Amino acid sequence: MEERVYKVMKGAGTTNIALGVITLVVGVVTGILLIIAGAKLIAGKSKLLF
């Protein structure tokens, strides 16, 4: 009985670690893309006319 509990806990822990790594990677990539987009806006600021 206890072995089954440990197997379930191991699976849950592995899933949590995998999701954490995926979330971290997505966050870093999103941040980089936002910085690049902002830099392009600042670089083209003189060409904008409202």
Side-chain angles (χ1 to χ4, degrees), residues 14-37:
T14 305
T15 303
N16 285 335
I17 290 173
L19 287 176
V21 169
I22 290 169
T23 303
L24 183 67
V25 169
V26 169
V28 168
V29 170
T30 303
I32 290 171
L33 291 174
L34 287 171
I35 290 171
I36 291 171

Side-chain angles (χ1 to χ4, degrees), residues 9 11 13 25 27 32 37-39 46-47 49:
M9 289 173 62
V25 169
I32 290 171
S46 62
K47 297 177 186 175
L49 180 64

